[in-house]
């Protein structure tokens, strides 16, 4: 009899685990059953804002592997099945067949919990009105774009100015809507330091998008037909034909917690480096788990598809008798709003202070290419370094095309615990079409190294 692997969740983490396990074990050795409550598998949630913005982009282009393709590879994908209970003693899961309104029970030898994240939806009057949209999965993206196509809206309000809020504001702006962003914090993108967030705010407003910071949303007013018509805020009423919620997400760990699986202080499922949970034979991956932060040495909840795919692959190796580990995160992220690119890695000042580091910062302005080369544009780079050792703790980059991917070299340096002095000596590529003779990251590291030495 083959062993049975049951997976809860059919997107990045779950199907990455399934695919890797199938590569390593035949159907005679391992049965794989994957439950997904939606109608799609293995799609790019990160591509949703760009899908919403572009009428010519097909939903299919966001799908890396369809349910049919998974089935052809020997994975029993069951769409429209919402797993409602896990029995660790009986080694079973119970799923609700949403179409037939029936419960089905399946036994498992190994179980993967990949339930993702739950979007934060404020408990405010009118939040369930027609025209108020969340943007968590591909179905949400399709519904939002169809709404825009059918109603020809003119005024959009985006609630929240983190990554998804910025990207959805760009999507609405590209569609020609008048866009207002409402953000409760004093600046957009709280993962940046205030001085860098101020640059993002200036860029947003410079493109004609209205940004109302330090403003709380208090509710959503509707017309006689139940469609949103305005957003009530602490600074007054904002007319709206459509509202997009971009407030953020939290780990969807309720199913695991109800089964008795350990949950961490972050709200995510606790795992070891092999992605094993506190329950024998039960693994977890993706946005529902908490991760080890390599700089603070503390658990954190960071929802990113890059982590989910890596973690799923680790599980696929381990459930088939191999050995693999997920070695943590440092909080690297990147986004854009129209022509402006924004990236960060490691810790910002608030996070470094909370982790009890003594640190210095250096912020420099340079250009993405040699100053005389056509297409050169401004770039701002900020570096945080530990005062005593000079170890790089974090970096932030803002600029136009060609700016933000520079964060990757900073991330590699932080991952390997390099100092700013070591970084300033790196042999980085140079040619006028790509950078000045001193790359902006080198200039920032050198400036931080000078402060460490003082």
């Amino acid at each position: 009899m083959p062993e049975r692997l049951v997976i809860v969740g059919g997107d990045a983490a779950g199907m990455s685990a399934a695919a890797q396990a199938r590569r390593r074990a035949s159907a005679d050795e391992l049965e794989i059953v994957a439950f997904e409550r939606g109608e799609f598998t293995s799609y790019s949630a990160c591509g949703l804002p760009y899908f919403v913005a572009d009428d010519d982009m097909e939903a299919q282009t966001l799908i890396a592997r369809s349910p049919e393709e998974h089935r052809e590879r020997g994975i029993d994908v069951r769409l429209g099945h919402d797993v409602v209970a896990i029995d660790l003693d009986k080694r079973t899961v119970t799923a609700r067949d949403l179409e037939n309104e029936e419960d089905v029970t399946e036994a498992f030898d190994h179980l993967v919990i990949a339930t993702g994240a739950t979007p934060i939806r404020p408990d405010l009057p009118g939040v369930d009105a027609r025209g108020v949209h969340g943007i968590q999965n591909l179905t949400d993206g399709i519904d939002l774009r169809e709404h825009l196509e059918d109603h020809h809206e003119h005024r959009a309000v985006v609630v929240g100015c983190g990554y998804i809020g910025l990207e959805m504001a760009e999507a609405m702006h590209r569609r020609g809507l008048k866009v207002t962003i409402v953000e409760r914090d004093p600046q957009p993108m709280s993962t940046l330091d205030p001085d860098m967030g101020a640059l993002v705010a200036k860029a947003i407003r410079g493109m004609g998008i209205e940004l109302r910071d330090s403003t709380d949303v208090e509710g959503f007013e509707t017309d006689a037909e139940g469609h949103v018509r305005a957003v009530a805020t602490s600074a007054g009423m904002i007319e709206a034909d459509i509202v997009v919620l971009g407030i953020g997400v939290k780990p969807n760990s309720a199913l695991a917690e109800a089964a008795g699986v350990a949950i961490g202080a972050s709200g995510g499922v606790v795992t070891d480096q092999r992605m094993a949970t506190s329950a024998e034979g039960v693994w977890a991956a993706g946005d529902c788990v908490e991760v080890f932060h390599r700089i603070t040495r503390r658990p954190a909840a960071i929802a990113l598809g890059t982590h989910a795919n890596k973690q799923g692959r680790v599980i696929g190796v381990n459930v088939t008798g191999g050995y693999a580990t997920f070695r943590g995160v440092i909080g690297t992220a990147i986004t854009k709003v129209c022509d402006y690119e924004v990236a960060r890695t490691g810790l910002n000042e608030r996070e470094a202070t909370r982790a009890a580091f003594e640190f210095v910062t250096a912020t420099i302005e340079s250009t993405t290419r040699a100053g005389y080369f056509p297409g050169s544009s401004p770039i701002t780079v900020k570096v945080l370094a530990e005062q005593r050792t000079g170890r790089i703790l974090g970096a932030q980059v803002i600029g136009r095309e060609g700016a933000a991917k520079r964060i990757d070299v900073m991330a590699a340096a932080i991952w390997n615990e390099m100092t700013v002095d070591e970084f300033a000596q790196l042999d980085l590529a140079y040619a006028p079409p790509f950078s000045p003779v001193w790359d902006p990251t080198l200039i920032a590291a050198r400036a931080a190294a000078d402060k460490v030495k003082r």
Side-chain angles (χ1 to χ4, degrees):
M1 285 283 293
E3 287 193 321
R4 171 170 281 201
L5 168 62
V6 172
I7 295 169
V8 184
D11 199 12
M15 299 318 294
S16 179
Q20 181 66 10
R22 176 53 73 229
R23 292 186 194 102
R24 294 173 52 86
S26 69
D28 294 333
E29 300 169 302
L30 183 70
E31 294 180 11
I32 305 176
V33 178
F35 290 110
E36 166 55 45
R37 66 184 175 188
E39 53 185 308
F40 303 100
T41 58
S42 302
Y43 60 87
S44 171
C46 297
L48 291 175
Y50 310 105
F51 166 74
V52 170
D54 185 356
D55 284 341
D56 293 328
M57 182 184 290
E58 299 288 341
Q60 196 67 30
T61 62
L62 296 181
I63 299 173
R65 190 167 291 173
S66 68
E68 292 75 22
E69 290 173 313
H70 283 299
R71 291 173 185 137
E72 288 171 0
R73 290 165 170 81
I75 299 169
D76 181 4
V77 176
R78 303 187 192 179
L79 300 177
H81 281 69
D82 185 16
V83 174
V84 294
I86 299 169
D87 191 321
L88 295 178
D89 294 327
K90 294 180 180 179
R91 313 292 286 174
T92 61
V93 300
T94 299
R96 184 72 172 170
D97 181 339
L98 300 176
E99 181 178 355
N100 298 314
E101 299 185 345
E102 297 176 349
D103 287 344
V104 296
T105 300
E106 293 287 349
F108 64 83
D109 296 293
H110 295 280
L111 175 66
V112 177
I113 299 173
T115 45
T118 301
I120 297 171
R121 196 173 182 92
D123 185 16
L124 293 172
V127 72
D128 294 322
R130 287 188 295 117
V132 178
H133 292 260
I135 186 76
Q136 176 70 7
N137 54 47
L138 184 51
T139 300
D140 292 337
I142 293 171
D143 289 345
L144 175 54
R145 198 169 83 173
E146 287 180 349
H147 182 113
L148 289 165
E149 291 169 351
D150 293 343
H151 292 81
H152 306 291
E153 310 291 26
H154 300 289
R155 299 164 300 184
V157 172
V158 177
V159 181
C161 198
Y163 294 98
I164 189 64
L166 269 179
E167 291 163 1
M168 290 310 303
E170 176 183 358
M172 299 295 108
H173 182 71
R174 285 177 57 188
R175 295 187 72 96
L177 278 72
K178 178 184 177 183
V179 181
T180 300
I181 303 174
V182 182
E183 170 58 52
R184 68 183 309 172
D185 288 336
Q187 65 167 67
M189 301 196 70
S190 60
T191 56
L192 300 177
D193 289 323
D195 54 338
M196 299 296 276
L199 297 179
V200 177
K202 182 179 179 181
I204 292 170
R205 292 178 171 126
M207 291 179 296
I209 296 174
E210 182 181 9
L211 172 62
R212 297 198 184 184
D213 51 28
S214 301
T215 303
D216 288 315
V217 172
E218 298 176 343
F220 305 90
E221 291 206 353
T222 59
D223 59 23
E225 289 158 1
H227 192 284
V228 68
R229 68 174 187 84
V231 179
T233 78
S234 58
M237 203 72 69
I238 305 172
E239 291 186 344
D241 301 310
I242 191 165
V243 174
V244 181
L245 303 176
I247 304 172
V249 298
K250 58 184 179 180
N252 184 9
S253 56
L255 180 68
E257 185 174 20
V261 176
I263 306 299
S266 70
V269 179
V270 176
T271 70
D272 62 16
Q273 283 194 336
R274 301 184 72 218
M275 306 312 298
T277 72
S278 61
E280 181 67 27
V282 179
W283 313 78
D287 295 350
C288 65
V289 307
E290 70 175 22
V291 291
F292 172 70
H293 199 293
R294 291 171 63 95
I295 306 173
T296 66
R297 319 301 289 180
R298 297 171 184 170
I302 299 177
L304 283 174
T306 50
H307 303 160
N309 278 285
K310 293 171 188 173
Q311 292 164 356
R313 185 178 179 88
V314 165
I315 292 175
V317 171
N318 290 328
V319 298
T320 52
Y323 184 84
T325 61
F326 180 76
R327 300 183 183 181
V329 305
I330 57 174
T332 307
I334 189 170
T335 190
K336 67 181 285 292
V337 55
C338 297
D339 293 339
Y340 286 86
E341 302 177 352
V342 183
R344 57 97 65 197
T345 187
L347 307 180
N348 61 28
E349 291 190 44
R350 183 183 65 256
E351 293 163 339
T353 300
R354 190 182 301 140
F357 283 107
E358 294 184 1
F359 59 91
V360 300
T361 69
T363 303
I364 65 94
E365 295 180 359
S366 183
T367 53
T368 54
R369 304 174 179 179
Y372 56 81
F373 198 88
S376 179
S377 62
I379 179 174
T380 302
V381 180
K382 181 172 185 175
V383 172
L384 281 72
E386 188 176 17
Q387 175 70 68
R388 181 175 59 84
T389 65
R391 178 169 64 119
I392 305 172
L393 299 176
Q396 299 161 43
V397 178
I398 296 176
R400 291 183 183 265
E401 184 178 359
K405 279 296 279 183
R406 282 178 160 90
I407 205 68
D408 285 342
V409 70
M410 302 299 302
I414 292 171
W415 186 274
N416 289 286
E417 300 185 356
M418 291 180 66
T419 68
V420 281
D421 192 52
E422 290 170 332
F423 189 95
Q425 299 299 320
L426 282 179
D427 184 8
L428 301 185
Y430 160 67
F434 305 104
S435 77
V437 66
W438 282 94
D439 188 84
T441 57
L442 297 178
I443 299 172
R446 189 177 64 196
D450 289 343
K451 289 188 176 182
V452 168
K453 290 173 183 177
R454 289 200 296 268

